[in-house]
Amino acid sequence: MSLFRGLKFLTTVNDLRTLPLDGREVAFAGRSNAGKSSAINTLANHTRLAYVSKTPGRTQHINYFTFGSDELKRLVDLPGYGYAEVPAAVRAHWEGLLGRYLKERDHLIGLVLIMDSRRPLTELDRRMLDWFLPTGKPVHCLLTKSDKLSNQERTNALRSVQKEFANNPQVTVQLFSSLKKQGVEETEKVVGAWFAEPAADSAELTNGE
Ligand SMILES: Nc1nc2c(ncn2[C@@H]2O[C@H](COP(=O)(O)OP(=O)(O)OP(=O)(O)O)[C@@H](O)[C@H]2O)c(=O)[nH]1
Ligand SMILES: [Mg+2]
């Protein structure tokens, strides 16, 4: 069975003070409408686990999903950034929260950065990376909606983003299509490997130090 098949909703959180106290999580971040919620549904092979909308800015809370028998492995659907229709003060508030979450959240073991393959690495995407990369944790970029590109455009999009990170082994990149269900196995492999690493706590215990 594929890794995220049993993914289920765990909880919704509105602010950083009420984040779960346990577990390890991989967050899905990206511009509003980039396809974060769709990607989570596609990985879960579920049509309506995470809320998908044609209207950008739909996911306004932090939604937690869990898989695995102990419910301690989580995928986190973050609110999208860069949605022009949201008042500037609200945007600034969310961007501030995202920044703190990415920089400070100990439970976070890796970031899946969701970018529309037609316009990857916008200024805000780069800001997320600037916040997150100093943590030393891995980033996997999904270039979504790849079904909207020709073969040649897909290859070009992948190469151009890969080139940006050619000297940074912390960042990996792939194409993804929720519509065509393409790229699922590759994502499972990368994100699955992050969860396969022993948790920091137990690593400390086994070191006996
Ligand atoms: N063609 C195509 N459309 C997609 C794909 N992924 C998502 N979409 C569409 O893009 C729109 C936005 O998708 P969502 O998954 O809600 O995007 P989101 O990043 O979660 O957006 P926010 O919650 O607003 O931040 C919806 O209309 C989806 O059907 C894809 O792989 N291919
Ligand atoms: Mg969403």
Side-chain angles (χ1 to χ4, degrees), residues 32-38 52-53 57-59 80 145 147 178-179:
S32 196
N33 208 44
K36 297 173 293 298
S37 303
S38 299
V52 171
S53 169
R58 261 316 146 137
T59 311
K145 308 193 188 184
D147 53 275
S178 291
L179 188 76

Side-chain angles (χ1 to χ4, degrees), residues 8-26:
K8 59 186 183 195
F9 177 77
L10 183 70
T11 185
T12 293
V13 195
N14 280 308
D15 66 80
L16 298 183
R17 283 165 305 178
T18 48
L19 291 172
L21 298 171
D22 59 358
R24 287 184 299 157
E25 62 208 44
V26 166

Side-chain angles (χ1 to χ4, degrees), residues 76-104:
V76 182
D77 191 6
L78 294 172
Y81 45 80
Y83 176 43
E85 302 299 310
V86 174
V90 177
R91 282 173 66 174
H93 173 73
W94 269 119
E95 283 161 21
L97 282 185
L98 277 176
R100 275 179 47 215
Y101 172 82
L102 293 175
K103 284 191 261 191
E104 295 168 12

